[in-house]
Amino acid sequence: MSGHDEHKNFNANKIFLWLFIFTAVEVAWGILGHKWHVGKPLLWGGLLFFALLKGVLILQYFMHFRFEGWIVKGLIAPTPILIAVIITVLSPDVACNGKLNNNIGTSFDPKTGQIVELPEVAARKGVLPHNAPAPKGADAGGAAH
Amino acid sequence: MSQATLAPHAGAHGHHGHKADPFAYDPAVDAPAEHHAIYDYDSGPPVERGKFAIWLFLATEVMFFTGLIGTYIILRTGASAWPNPEERLAVDITAFNTFVLIISSWLMVRALQAGQKGDKAGILKWLGATILGGALFVGIQVYEYIELYKHGSWPNVDIFWSTFYAMTGFHGLHVVVGVIWLICAWFGAARGKYTAQNHMGLELAGLYWHFVDLVWVLLFTIVYLF
C-alpha cells in the first residue's frame, strides 16, 4: 500500500533463500523418487508439499498477502472452494472414460486419421495395435533432449 | 482517501422547510438531523482501487489455471498409462528455468523496496534485472519448444503433449505479458512516475509478476516432476 509500507518489512533475502532450497530439494526428490520407485503417494505427496510451501511463501511475503486487509483476503478465500468444485465436476469424465470417443490412453494418429492406443498402453498389454507406431525403447513418445 | 459526501434524500432524516426551488439541495433544510459517518467517507472498498482490481483479476486467473491443472489431473489419474515426464522432458533445463523465475521474483521485491524509498536508480536497476530474468525464462521455454518440435512432439501426438502445451503455453503467454508490463513500468520509472509516496503502479506489476512465478512453481511440479 503506497505510503503505508512500514508494516510490510520482511527479509526478502531469507524468503528467497528458502525458495531456492525448497526448489533444489523438490527437484532432487522428484528425480530420486522416480529412480528409487518410492511409490506415487510418497512421491506426489512430497512434491506437492514442497510446491505448496513455496507457493505459500510467495503469496504471503512476495505478494504481501499476509499484510493485506480483510477485503483482499475475502477476494481470494472462495478460490479453494471453487477449485474443489471444478475437480469434482470434472471427475465424471474419468468415470465415463469407456464411453468417450477418444478414450484416455489413446491418441489421434494424423498419418492414418485413426484413433490408436498409446504405445505405452499397448506395450503394457503386450500387444501392439496394427496401426500404432512401434515404441523406441523407453522413449516411446519422442524424448525432447 | 477522497471525501465523497453523498447528498441524502430530502425528508429521510431532514427537516421539511420551505425553499424557493423545491428540487435544489439546501443543507439548512435537507441535511440529516443527526450525523452519519458514512456520508463522510468514500463508499469504495477499504483498499486502493488498483489493488482491489488486480486481486480480483488474480482470483479469476487462479480459476483459469485451476481449469487447466484440474483437467490435467483428471486426465492423468484417469489414464491407464502415463509416460514418465523425465523420459520426455528436459527436467534439468526447466529446473534451471524455475530458479531463474524465482530469482526474478526476488529481484522484483528489491525493485519495490527501492520504490518504497523513492530510489529511482534502484528501481531502474532491480526492475531491469527482473525484466532480463523474465526474458531469459521465455527464451529457455522457446528453446525447449524448438527442441520438442525437432523430435516431433506436437500437441496432437497424444494427451501428454496436449496437456503439456496447453499448460506451459498459457503460462508462457502470461510471462510474456508480464515482461511487457514490467518494461512499461521501467519506462514509467525512468520518467520519474514512482515516488516514495506513490508507487502503486510498480506494486501492481509486481503482484502480477509474483503470481506468474507462483503458478510456475506449481506447474513445474505437476508437469515435470509428477
PDB file of all heavy atoms in Angstrom, chain A residues 1 5 8 13 23 26 34 62 68 82 94 104 107 118 120 124 143-145, chain B residues 48 51 63 74 79-80 88 90 102 106 147-148 151 157 199 203 210 221 225:
ATOM      1  N   MET A   1       0.840  -1.182   0.000  1.00  0.00           N
ATOM      2  CA  MET A   1       0.000   0.000   0.000  1.00  0.00           C
ATOM      3  C   MET A   1       0.878   1.236   0.000  1.00  0.00           C
ATOM      4  O   MET A   1       1.684   1.412   0.892  1.00  0.00           O
ATOM      5  CB  MET A   1      -0.901  -0.022   1.243  1.00  0.00           C
ATOM      6  CG  MET A   1      -2.125   0.826   1.122  1.00  0.00           C
ATOM      7  SD  MET A   1      -3.128   0.742   2.617  1.00  0.00           S
ATOM      8  CE  MET A   1      -3.766  -0.911   2.555  1.00  0.00           C
ATOM      9  N   ASP A   5       3.796   1.421   3.955  1.00  0.00           N
ATOM     10  CA  ASP A   5       4.576   0.208   3.749  1.00  0.00           C
ATOM     11  C   ASP A   5       5.397  -0.202   4.959  1.00  0.00           C
ATOM     12  O   ASP A   5       6.091  -1.203   4.913  1.00  0.00           O
ATOM     13  CB  ASP A   5       5.520   0.388   2.555  1.00  0.00           C
ATOM     14  CG  ASP A   5       4.754   0.663   1.284  1.00  0.00           C
ATOM     15  OD1 ASP A   5       3.797  -0.076   1.024  1.00  0.00           O
ATOM     16  OD2 ASP A   5       5.118   1.600   0.571  1.00  0.00           O
ATOM     17  N   LYS A   8       5.152  -3.732   6.169  1.00  0.00           N
ATOM     18  CA  LYS A   8       5.431  -4.809   5.218  1.00  0.00           C
ATOM     19  C   LYS A   8       6.904  -5.192   5.184  1.00  0.00           C
ATOM     20  O   LYS A   8       7.343  -5.852   4.267  1.00  0.00           O
ATOM     21  CB  LYS A   8       4.985  -4.391   3.816  1.00  0.00           C
ATOM     22  CG  LYS A   8       3.481  -4.375   3.652  1.00  0.00           C
ATOM     23  CD  LYS A   8       3.141  -4.033   2.247  1.00  0.00           C
ATOM     24  CE  LYS A   8       1.645  -3.909   2.070  1.00  0.00           C
ATOM     25  NZ  LYS A   8       1.309  -3.393   0.757  1.00  0.00           N
ATOM     26  N   ASN A  13      15.549 -11.560   1.348  1.00  0.00           N
ATOM     27  CA  ASN A  13      16.677 -12.458   1.050  1.00  0.00           C
ATOM     28  C   ASN A  13      16.478 -13.823   1.700  1.00  0.00           C
ATOM     29  O   ASN A  13      16.784 -14.858   1.112  1.00  0.00           O
ATOM     30  CB  ASN A  13      17.988 -11.852   1.553  1.00  0.00           C
ATOM     31  CG  ASN A  13      18.306 -10.552   0.847  1.00  0.00           C
ATOM     32  OD1 ASN A  13      17.679 -10.221  -0.157  1.00  0.00           O
ATOM     33  ND2 ASN A  13      19.255  -9.816   1.381  1.00  0.00           N
ATOM     34  N   THR A  23      13.232 -25.563  -3.745  1.00  0.00           N
ATOM     35  CA  THR A  23      13.224 -25.976  -5.157  1.00  0.00           C
ATOM     36  C   THR A  23      14.268 -27.065  -5.393  1.00  0.00           C
ATOM     37  O   THR A  23      13.990 -28.066  -6.071  1.00  0.00           O
ATOM     38  CB  THR A  23      13.490 -24.763  -6.084  1.00  0.00           C
ATOM     39  OG1 THR A  23      12.526 -23.762  -5.813  1.00  0.00           O
ATOM     40  CG2 THR A  23      13.392 -25.154  -7.550  1.00  0.00           C
ATOM     41  N   GLU A  26      13.090 -30.243  -3.856  1.00  0.00           N
ATOM     42  CA  GLU A  26      11.953 -30.770  -4.621  1.00  0.00           C
ATOM     43  C   GLU A  26      12.417 -31.478  -5.904  1.00  0.00           C
ATOM     44  O   GLU A  26      11.952 -32.584  -6.212  1.00  0.00           O
ATOM     45  CB  GLU A  26      11.020 -29.611  -4.966  1.00  0.00           C
ATOM     46  CG  GLU A  26       9.730 -30.047  -5.619  1.00  0.00           C
ATOM     47  CD  GLU A  26       8.922 -28.873  -6.122  1.00  0.00           C
ATOM     48  OE1 GLU A  26       9.458 -27.740  -6.176  1.00  0.00           O
ATOM     49  OE2 GLU A  26       7.769 -29.092  -6.474  1.00  0.00           O
ATOM     50  N   HIS A  34      11.519 -41.083  -8.569  1.00  0.00           N
ATOM     51  CA  HIS A  34      11.262 -41.923  -9.745  1.00  0.00           C
ATOM     52  C   HIS A  34      12.287 -43.054  -9.820  1.00  0.00           C
ATOM     53  O   HIS A  34      11.952 -44.194 -10.138  1.00  0.00           O
ATOM     54  CB  HIS A  34      11.336 -41.076 -11.019  1.00  0.00           C
ATOM     55  CG  HIS A  34      10.065 -40.329 -11.305  1.00  0.00           C
ATOM     56  ND1 HIS A  34       8.894 -40.962 -11.620  1.00  0.00           N
ATOM     57  CD2 HIS A  34       9.784 -38.999 -11.317  1.00  0.00           C
ATOM     58  CE1 HIS A  34       7.936 -40.064 -11.829  1.00  0.00           C
ATOM     59  NE2 HIS A  34       8.452 -38.857 -11.642  1.00  0.00           N
ATOM     60  N   PHE A  62       6.099 -12.320  -0.795  1.00  0.00           N
ATOM     61  CA  PHE A  62       6.384 -11.549  -2.009  1.00  0.00           C
ATOM     62  C   PHE A  62       5.150 -10.798  -2.491  1.00  0.00           C
ATOM     63  O   PHE A  62       5.246  -9.685  -3.008  1.00  0.00           O
ATOM     64  CB  PHE A  62       6.904 -12.473  -3.123  1.00  0.00           C
ATOM     65  CG  PHE A  62       8.347 -12.873  -2.951  1.00  0.00           C
ATOM     66  CD1 PHE A  62       9.055 -12.525  -1.814  1.00  0.00           C
ATOM     67  CD2 PHE A  62       9.007 -13.592  -3.930  1.00  0.00           C
ATOM     68  CE1 PHE A  62      10.382 -12.890  -1.648  1.00  0.00           C
ATOM     69  CE2 PHE A  62      10.336 -13.957  -3.786  1.00  0.00           C
ATOM     70  CZ  PHE A  62      11.019 -13.613  -2.634  1.00  0.00           C
ATOM     71  N   GLU A  68      -2.234  -7.844   3.984  1.00  0.00           N
ATOM     72  CA  GLU A  68      -3.421  -7.217   3.408  1.00  0.00           C
ATOM     73  C   GLU A  68      -4.598  -7.262   4.378  1.00  0.00           C
ATOM     74  O   GLU A  68      -4.611  -8.058   5.315  1.00  0.00           O
ATOM     75  CB  GLU A  68      -3.816  -7.921   2.098  1.00  0.00           C
ATOM     76  CG  GLU A  68      -2.806  -7.771   0.978  1.00  0.00           C
ATOM     77  CD  GLU A  68      -2.634  -6.335   0.504  1.00  0.00           C
ATOM     78  OE1 GLU A  68      -3.465  -5.478   0.882  1.00  0.00           O
ATOM     79  OE2 GLU A  68      -1.652  -6.065  -0.204  1.00  0.00           O
ATOM     80  N   LEU A  82     -13.843 -23.121  -4.978  1.00  0.00           N
ATOM     81  CA  LEU A  82     -14.140 -23.237  -6.404  1.00  0.00           C
ATOM     82  C   LEU A  82     -13.230 -24.261  -7.088  1.00  0.00           C
ATOM     83  O   LEU A  82     -13.653 -24.972  -8.003  1.00  0.00           O
ATOM     84  CB  LEU A  82     -13.996 -21.866  -7.076  1.00  0.00           C
ATOM     85  CG  LEU A  82     -15.048 -20.832  -6.647  1.00  0.00           C
ATOM     86  CD1 LEU A  82     -14.679 -19.449  -7.136  1.00  0.00           C
ATOM     87  CD2 LEU A  82     -16.422 -21.215  -7.164  1.00  0.00           C
ATOM     88  N   VAL A  94     -13.772 -38.978 -16.043  1.00  0.00           N
ATOM     89  CA  VAL A  94     -12.928 -40.158 -15.879  1.00  0.00           C
ATOM     90  C   VAL A  94     -13.812 -41.392 -15.701  1.00  0.00           C
ATOM     91  O   VAL A  94     -13.563 -42.442 -16.292  1.00  0.00           O
ATOM     92  CB  VAL A  94     -11.990 -39.991 -14.662  1.00  0.00           C
ATOM     93  CG1 VAL A  94     -11.241 -41.282 -14.392  1.00  0.00           C
ATOM     94  CG2 VAL A  94     -11.017 -38.869 -14.919  1.00  0.00           C
ATOM     95  N   ILE A 104      -9.086 -42.052 -22.913  1.00  0.00           N
ATOM     96  CA  ILE A 104      -7.797 -41.703 -22.327  1.00  0.00           C
ATOM     97  C   ILE A 104      -6.879 -42.909 -22.507  1.00  0.00           C
ATOM     98  O   ILE A 104      -7.292 -44.050 -22.284  1.00  0.00           O
ATOM     99  CB  ILE A 104      -7.970 -41.357 -20.840  1.00  0.00           C
ATOM    100  CG1 ILE A 104      -8.818 -40.088 -20.718  1.00  0.00           C
ATOM    101  CG2 ILE A 104      -6.631 -41.169 -20.155  1.00  0.00           C
ATOM    102  CD1 ILE A 104      -9.307 -39.809 -19.332  1.00  0.00           C
ATOM    103  N   SER A 107      -4.625 -41.954 -28.757  1.00  0.00           N
ATOM    104  CA  SER A 107      -4.312 -40.673 -29.387  1.00  0.00           C
ATOM    105  C   SER A 107      -4.705 -40.719 -30.861  1.00  0.00           C
ATOM    106  O   SER A 107      -4.904 -41.791 -31.428  1.00  0.00           O
ATOM    107  CB  SER A 107      -2.819 -40.359 -29.252  1.00  0.00           C
ATOM    108  OG  SER A 107      -2.078 -41.221 -30.061  1.00  0.00           O
ATOM    109  N   LEU A 118      -2.068 -45.583 -27.172  1.00  0.00           N
ATOM    110  CA  LEU A 118      -0.714 -45.098 -26.894  1.00  0.00           C
ATOM    111  C   LEU A 118       0.249 -46.281 -26.871  1.00  0.00           C
ATOM    112  O   LEU A 118      -0.102 -47.336 -26.335  1.00  0.00           O
ATOM    113  CB  LEU A 118      -0.663 -44.408 -25.525  1.00  0.00           C
ATOM    114  CG  LEU A 118      -1.109 -42.953 -25.448  1.00  0.00           C
ATOM    115  CD1 LEU A 118      -1.085 -42.492 -23.996  1.00  0.00           C
ATOM    116  CD2 LEU A 118      -0.198 -42.071 -26.266  1.00  0.00           C
ATOM    117  N   GLU A 120       2.651 -46.879 -25.030  1.00  0.00           N
ATOM    118  CA  GLU A 120       2.899 -47.330 -23.653  1.00  0.00           C
ATOM    119  C   GLU A 120       1.809 -48.277 -23.185  1.00  0.00           C
ATOM    120  O   GLU A 120       2.055 -49.274 -22.509  1.00  0.00           O
ATOM    121  CB  GLU A 120       2.962 -46.134 -22.693  1.00  0.00           C
ATOM    122  CG  GLU A 120       4.158 -45.236 -22.901  1.00  0.00           C
ATOM    123  CD  GLU A 120       3.870 -44.095 -23.848  1.00  0.00           C
ATOM    124  OE1 GLU A 120       3.040 -44.269 -24.754  1.00  0.00           O
ATOM    125  OE2 GLU A 120       4.478 -43.034 -23.689  1.00  0.00           O
ATOM    126  N   ARG A 124       2.132 -52.279 -22.471  1.00  0.00           N
ATOM    127  CA  ARG A 124       1.764 -52.796 -21.160  1.00  0.00           C
ATOM    128  C   ARG A 124       0.881 -54.031 -21.294  1.00  0.00           C
ATOM    129  O   ARG A 124       0.948 -54.948 -20.494  1.00  0.00           O
ATOM    130  CB  ARG A 124       1.013 -51.689 -20.409  1.00  0.00           C
ATOM    131  CG  ARG A 124       1.084 -51.799 -18.913  1.00  0.00           C
ATOM    132  CD  ARG A 124       0.497 -50.541 -18.341  1.00  0.00           C
ATOM    133  NE  ARG A 124       0.194 -50.706 -16.946  1.00  0.00           N
ATOM    134  CZ  ARG A 124      -0.510 -49.851 -16.230  1.00  0.00           C
ATOM    135  NH1 ARG A 124      -0.976 -48.776 -16.808  1.00  0.00           N
ATOM    136  NH2 ARG A 124      -0.722 -50.052 -14.965  1.00  0.00           N
ATOM    137  N   ALA A 143      11.675 -38.349 -27.052  1.00  0.00           N
ATOM    138  CA  ALA A 143      12.259 -37.549 -25.980  1.00  0.00           C
ATOM    139  C   ALA A 143      12.664 -36.185 -26.503  1.00  0.00           C
ATOM    140  O   ALA A 143      12.967 -36.023 -27.678  1.00  0.00           O
ATOM    141  CB  ALA A 143      13.474 -38.268 -25.409  1.00  0.00           C
ATOM    142  N   ALA A 144      12.619 -35.216 -25.620  1.00  0.00           N
ATOM    143  CA  ALA A 144      12.920 -33.851 -26.032  1.00  0.00           C
ATOM    144  C   ALA A 144      14.413 -33.671 -26.259  1.00  0.00           C
ATOM    145  O   ALA A 144      14.833 -33.006 -27.192  1.00  0.00           O
ATOM    146  CB  ALA A 144      12.425 -32.883 -24.984  1.00  0.00           C
ATOM    147  N   HIS A 145      15.200 -34.239 -25.367  1.00  0.00           N
ATOM    148  CA  HIS A 145      16.636 -33.971 -25.450  1.00  0.00           C
ATOM    149  C   HIS A 145      17.436 -35.251 -25.284  1.00  0.00           C
ATOM    150  O   HIS A 145      17.087 -36.063 -24.471  1.00  0.00           O
ATOM    151  CB  HIS A 145      17.045 -32.970 -24.382  1.00  0.00           C
ATOM    152  CG  HIS A 145      16.185 -31.764 -24.392  1.00  0.00           C
ATOM    153  ND1 HIS A 145      16.272 -30.787 -25.351  1.00  0.00           N
ATOM    154  CD2 HIS A 145      15.159 -31.398 -23.579  1.00  0.00           C
ATOM    155  CE1 HIS A 145      15.369 -29.865 -25.117  1.00  0.00           C
ATOM    156  NE2 HIS A 145      14.677 -30.207 -24.055  1.00  0.00           N
TER     157      HIS A 145
ATOM    158  N   GLU B  48      -6.902   0.379  -2.006  1.00  0.00           N
ATOM    159  CA  GLU B  48      -6.781   1.148  -3.249  1.00  0.00           C
ATOM    160  C   GLU B  48      -7.482   0.437  -4.398  1.00  0.00           C
ATOM    161  O   GLU B  48      -7.449  -0.792  -4.476  1.00  0.00           O
ATOM    162  CB  GLU B  48      -5.302   1.351  -3.610  1.00  0.00           C
ATOM    163  CG  GLU B  48      -4.598   2.378  -2.772  1.00  0.00           C
ATOM    164  CD  GLU B  48      -4.028   1.782  -1.495  1.00  0.00           C
ATOM    165  OE1 GLU B  48      -4.428   0.649  -1.135  1.00  0.00           O
ATOM    166  OE2 GLU B  48      -3.203   2.442  -0.844  1.00  0.00           O
ATOM    167  N   LYS B  51      -5.344  -1.953  -6.455  1.00  0.00           N
ATOM    168  CA  LYS B  51      -5.019  -3.206  -5.764  1.00  0.00           C
ATOM    169  C   LYS B  51      -6.233  -4.130  -5.698  1.00  0.00           C
ATOM    170  O   LYS B  51      -6.123  -5.339  -5.901  1.00  0.00           O
ATOM    171  CB  LYS B  51      -4.508  -2.895  -4.355  1.00  0.00           C
ATOM    172  CG  LYS B  51      -3.905  -4.104  -3.690  1.00  0.00           C
ATOM    173  CD  LYS B  51      -3.386  -3.790  -2.340  1.00  0.00           C
ATOM    174  CE  LYS B  51      -1.971  -3.272  -2.406  1.00  0.00           C
ATOM    175  NZ  LYS B  51      -1.381  -3.135  -1.074  1.00  0.00           N
ATOM    176  N   MET B  63      -8.645 -19.260 -11.149  1.00  0.00           N
ATOM    177  CA  MET B  63      -9.658 -20.177 -11.674  1.00  0.00           C
ATOM    178  C   MET B  63      -9.301 -20.647 -13.087  1.00  0.00           C
ATOM    179  O   MET B  63      -9.578 -21.787 -13.456  1.00  0.00           O
ATOM    180  CB  MET B  63     -11.050 -19.510 -11.668  1.00  0.00           C
ATOM    181  CG  MET B  63     -11.535 -19.125 -10.282  1.00  0.00           C
ATOM    182  SD  MET B  63     -11.178 -20.324  -8.989  1.00  0.00           S
ATOM    183  CE  MET B  63     -12.047 -21.759  -9.549  1.00  0.00           C
ATOM    184  N   ILE B  74      -7.242 -34.774 -13.790  1.00  0.00           N
ATOM    185  CA  ILE B  74      -8.297 -35.747 -14.080  1.00  0.00           C
ATOM    186  C   ILE B  74      -7.851 -36.692 -15.209  1.00  0.00           C
ATOM    187  O   ILE B  74      -8.006 -37.917 -15.113  1.00  0.00           O
ATOM    188  CB  ILE B  74      -9.599 -35.018 -14.484  1.00  0.00           C
ATOM    189  CG1 ILE B  74     -10.148 -34.205 -13.311  1.00  0.00           C
ATOM    190  CG2 ILE B  74     -10.637 -36.007 -15.002  1.00  0.00           C
ATOM    191  CD1 ILE B  74     -10.627 -34.998 -12.134  1.00  0.00           C
ATOM    192  N   ALA B  79      -5.917 -41.957 -16.755  1.00  0.00           N
ATOM    193  CA  ALA B  79      -5.230 -42.689 -17.824  1.00  0.00           C
ATOM    194  C   ALA B  79      -4.750 -44.044 -17.330  1.00  0.00           C
ATOM    195  O   ALA B  79      -4.288 -44.166 -16.193  1.00  0.00           O
ATOM    196  CB  ALA B  79      -4.040 -41.875 -18.323  1.00  0.00           C
ATOM    197  N   SER B  80      -4.874 -45.024 -18.204  1.00  0.00           N
ATOM    198  CA  SER B  80      -4.410 -46.356 -17.816  1.00  0.00           C
ATOM    199  C   SER B  80      -2.877 -46.406 -17.799  1.00  0.00           C
ATOM    200  O   SER B  80      -2.290 -47.238 -17.125  1.00  0.00           O
ATOM    201  CB  SER B  80      -4.963 -47.406 -18.780  1.00  0.00           C
ATOM    202  OG  SER B  80      -4.715 -47.008 -20.110  1.00  0.00           O
ATOM    203  N   ARG B  88      10.595 -37.743 -21.326  1.00  0.00           N
ATOM    204  CA  ARG B  88      10.158 -36.929 -22.459  1.00  0.00           C
ATOM    205  C   ARG B  88      10.618 -35.476 -22.377  1.00  0.00           C
ATOM    206  O   ARG B  88      10.684 -34.791 -23.391  1.00  0.00           O
ATOM    207  CB  ARG B  88       8.633 -36.938 -22.538  1.00  0.00           C
ATOM    208  CG  ARG B  88       8.055 -38.272 -22.947  1.00  0.00           C
ATOM    209  CD  ARG B  88       6.583 -38.134 -23.233  1.00  0.00           C
ATOM    210  NE  ARG B  88       6.055 -39.314 -23.905  1.00  0.00           N
ATOM    211  CZ  ARG B  88       4.909 -39.342 -24.579  1.00  0.00           C
ATOM    212  NH1 ARG B  88       4.175 -38.253 -24.645  1.00  0.00           N
ATOM    213  NH2 ARG B  88       4.492 -40.434 -25.166  1.00  0.00           N
ATOM    214  N   ALA B  90      13.114 -32.246 -20.607  1.00  0.00           N
ATOM    215  CA  ALA B  90      14.427 -31.928 -20.033  1.00  0.00           C
ATOM    216  C   ALA B  90      14.210 -31.267 -18.670  1.00  0.00           C
ATOM    217  O   ALA B  90      14.071 -30.048 -18.567  1.00  0.00           O
ATOM    218  CB  ALA B  90      15.185 -31.003 -20.963  1.00  0.00           C
ATOM    219  N   ILE B 102      12.290 -17.660 -10.012  1.00  0.00           N
ATOM    220  CA  ILE B 102      12.283 -17.349  -8.574  1.00  0.00           C
ATOM    221  C   ILE B 102      13.226 -16.169  -8.299  1.00  0.00           C
ATOM    222  O   ILE B 102      12.901 -15.262  -7.525  1.00  0.00           O
ATOM    223  CB  ILE B 102      12.674 -18.598  -7.740  1.00  0.00           C
ATOM    224  CG1 ILE B 102      11.522 -19.605  -7.771  1.00  0.00           C
ATOM    225  CG2 ILE B 102      12.998 -18.218  -6.302  1.00  0.00           C
ATOM    226  CD1 ILE B 102      11.840 -20.931  -7.120  1.00  0.00           C
ATOM    227  N   TRP B 106      12.400 -12.402  -6.749  1.00  0.00           N
ATOM    228  CA  TRP B 106      13.140 -11.749  -5.656  1.00  0.00           C
ATOM    229  C   TRP B 106      13.643 -10.365  -6.111  1.00  0.00           C
ATOM    230  O   TRP B 106      13.581  -9.389  -5.352  1.00  0.00           O
ATOM    231  CB  TRP B 106      14.320 -12.637  -5.251  1.00  0.00           C
ATOM    232  CG  TRP B 106      15.309 -11.992  -4.337  1.00  0.00           C
ATOM    233  CD1 TRP B 106      15.107 -11.656  -3.024  1.00  0.00           C
ATOM    234  CD2 TRP B 106      16.629 -11.579  -4.660  1.00  0.00           C
ATOM    235  NE1 TRP B 106      16.236 -11.076  -2.509  1.00  0.00           N
ATOM    236  CE2 TRP B 106      17.194 -11.014  -3.490  1.00  0.00           C
ATOM    237  CE3 TRP B 106      17.410 -11.637  -5.803  1.00  0.00           C
ATOM    238  CZ2 TRP B 106      18.483 -10.509  -3.448  1.00  0.00           C
ATOM    239  CZ3 TRP B 106      18.694 -11.139  -5.763  1.00  0.00           C
ATOM    240  CH2 TRP B 106      19.218 -10.583  -4.603  1.00  0.00           C
ATOM    241  N   GLU B 147      13.214 -27.617 -29.490  1.00  0.00           N
ATOM    242  CA  GLU B 147      13.785 -28.965 -29.369  1.00  0.00           C
ATOM    243  C   GLU B 147      12.695 -30.031 -29.455  1.00  0.00           C
ATOM    244  O   GLU B 147      12.875 -31.062 -30.091  1.00  0.00           O
ATOM    245  CB  GLU B 147      14.542 -29.092 -28.042  1.00  0.00           C
ATOM    246  CG  GLU B 147      15.860 -28.336 -28.006  1.00  0.00           C
ATOM    247  CD  GLU B 147      16.854 -28.849 -29.040  1.00  0.00           C
ATOM    248  OE1 GLU B 147      17.084 -30.068 -29.093  1.00  0.00           O
ATOM    249  OE2 GLU B 147      17.375 -28.024 -29.810  1.00  0.00           O
ATOM    250  N   LEU B 148      11.567 -29.764 -28.803  1.00  0.00           N
ATOM    251  CA  LEU B 148      10.461 -30.718 -28.849  1.00  0.00           C
ATOM    252  C   LEU B 148       9.916 -30.831 -30.271  1.00  0.00           C
ATOM    253  O   LEU B 148       9.578 -31.918 -30.739  1.00  0.00           O
ATOM    254  CB  LEU B 148       9.340 -30.274 -27.887  1.00  0.00           C
ATOM    255  CG  LEU B 148       9.668 -30.377 -26.396  1.00  0.00           C
ATOM    256  CD1 LEU B 148       8.582 -29.713 -25.557  1.00  0.00           C
ATOM    257  CD2 LEU B 148       9.823 -31.833 -25.968  1.00  0.00           C
ATOM    258  N   HIS B 151      11.860 -33.093 -32.387  1.00  0.00           N
ATOM    259  CA  HIS B 151      11.640 -34.503 -32.091  1.00  0.00           C
ATOM    260  C   HIS B 151      10.219 -34.946 -32.430  1.00  0.00           C
ATOM    261  O   HIS B 151       9.810 -36.057 -32.074  1.00  0.00           O
ATOM    262  CB  HIS B 151      11.932 -34.791 -30.617  1.00  0.00           C
ATOM    263  CG  HIS B 151      13.397 -34.791 -30.302  1.00  0.00           C
ATOM    264  ND1 HIS B 151      14.101 -33.624 -30.071  1.00  0.00           N
ATOM    265  CD2 HIS B 151      14.292 -35.802 -30.199  1.00  0.00           C
ATOM    266  CE1 HIS B 151      15.363 -33.929 -29.835  1.00  0.00           C
ATOM    267  NE2 HIS B 151      15.508 -35.229 -29.912  1.00  0.00           N
ATOM    268  N   VAL B 157       0.003 -35.254 -30.802  1.00  0.00           N
ATOM    269  CA  VAL B 157       0.582 -36.610 -30.771  1.00  0.00           C
ATOM    270  C   VAL B 157      -0.152 -37.488 -29.749  1.00  0.00           C
ATOM    271  O   VAL B 157      -0.581 -38.591 -30.053  1.00  0.00           O
ATOM    272  CB  VAL B 157       2.096 -36.552 -30.471  1.00  0.00           C
ATOM    273  CG1 VAL B 157       2.643 -37.932 -30.142  1.00  0.00           C
ATOM    274  CG2 VAL B 157       2.839 -35.984 -31.672  1.00  0.00           C
ATOM    275  N   HIS B 199       3.787   4.592  -5.466  1.00  0.00           N
ATOM    276  CA  HIS B 199       4.446   3.604  -6.331  1.00  0.00           C
ATOM    277  C   HIS B 199       3.487   2.444  -6.589  1.00  0.00           C
ATOM    278  O   HIS B 199       3.900   1.295  -6.718  1.00  0.00           O
ATOM    279  CB  HIS B 199       5.746   3.113  -5.681  1.00  0.00           C
ATOM    280  CG  HIS B 199       5.570   2.795  -4.231  1.00  0.00           C
ATOM    281  ND1 HIS B 199       5.842   3.680  -3.242  1.00  0.00           N
ATOM    282  CD2 HIS B 199       5.098   1.691  -3.613  1.00  0.00           C
ATOM    283  CE1 HIS B 199       5.570   3.145  -2.060  1.00  0.00           C
ATOM    284  NE2 HIS B 199       5.112   1.934  -2.268  1.00  0.00           N
ATOM    285  N   GLU B 203       3.828  -1.657  -7.697  1.00  0.00           N
ATOM    286  CA  GLU B 203       3.323  -2.728  -6.834  1.00  0.00           C
ATOM    287  C   GLU B 203       2.364  -3.651  -7.589  1.00  0.00           C
ATOM    288  O   GLU B 203       2.406  -4.876  -7.421  1.00  0.00           O
ATOM    289  CB  GLU B 203       2.627  -2.124  -5.611  1.00  0.00           C
ATOM    290  CG  GLU B 203       2.305  -3.161  -4.563  1.00  0.00           C
ATOM    291  CD  GLU B 203       1.919  -2.567  -3.223  1.00  0.00           C
ATOM    292  OE1 GLU B 203       2.095  -1.348  -3.033  1.00  0.00           O
ATOM    293  OE2 GLU B 203       1.441  -3.324  -2.376  1.00  0.00           O
ATOM    294  N   HIS B 210       4.697 -11.828  -9.430  1.00  0.00           N
ATOM    295  CA  HIS B 210       4.814 -12.867  -8.398  1.00  0.00           C
ATOM    296  C   HIS B 210       3.780 -13.972  -8.624  1.00  0.00           C
ATOM    297  O   HIS B 210       4.050 -15.146  -8.380  1.00  0.00           O
ATOM    298  CB  HIS B 210       4.626 -12.275  -7.003  1.00  0.00           C
ATOM    299  CG  HIS B 210       5.697 -11.310  -6.623  1.00  0.00           C
ATOM    300  ND1 HIS B 210       7.036 -11.587  -6.780  1.00  0.00           N
ATOM    301  CD2 HIS B 210       5.642 -10.064  -6.095  1.00  0.00           C
ATOM    302  CE1 HIS B 210       7.747 -10.550  -6.370  1.00  0.00           C
ATOM    303  NE2 HIS B 210       6.924  -9.620  -5.959  1.00  0.00           N
ATOM    304  N   THR B 221       6.098 -28.492 -10.842  1.00  0.00           N
ATOM    305  CA  THR B 221       5.972 -29.705 -10.039  1.00  0.00           C
ATOM    306  C   THR B 221       5.031 -30.699 -10.709  1.00  0.00           C
ATOM    307  O   THR B 221       5.349 -31.885 -10.853  1.00  0.00           O
ATOM    308  CB  THR B 221       5.427 -29.348  -8.638  1.00  0.00           C
ATOM    309  OG1 THR B 221       6.297 -28.380  -8.061  1.00  0.00           O
ATOM    310  CG2 THR B 221       5.335 -30.559  -7.744  1.00  0.00           C
ATOM    311  N   LEU B 225       7.658 -33.008 -12.709  1.00  0.00           N
ATOM    312  CA  LEU B 225       8.181 -33.901 -11.673  1.00  0.00           C
ATOM    313  C   LEU B 225       7.226 -35.031 -11.305  1.00  0.00           C
ATOM    314  O   LEU B 225       7.657 -36.046 -10.756  1.00  0.00           O
ATOM    315  CB  LEU B 225       8.536 -33.098 -10.418  1.00  0.00           C
ATOM    316  CG  LEU B 225       9.612 -32.009 -10.593  1.00  0.00           C
ATOM    317  CD1 LEU B 225       9.830 -31.263  -9.288  1.00  0.00           C
ATOM    318  CD2 LEU B 225      10.924 -32.616 -11.072  1.00  0.00           C
TER     319      LEU B 225
END
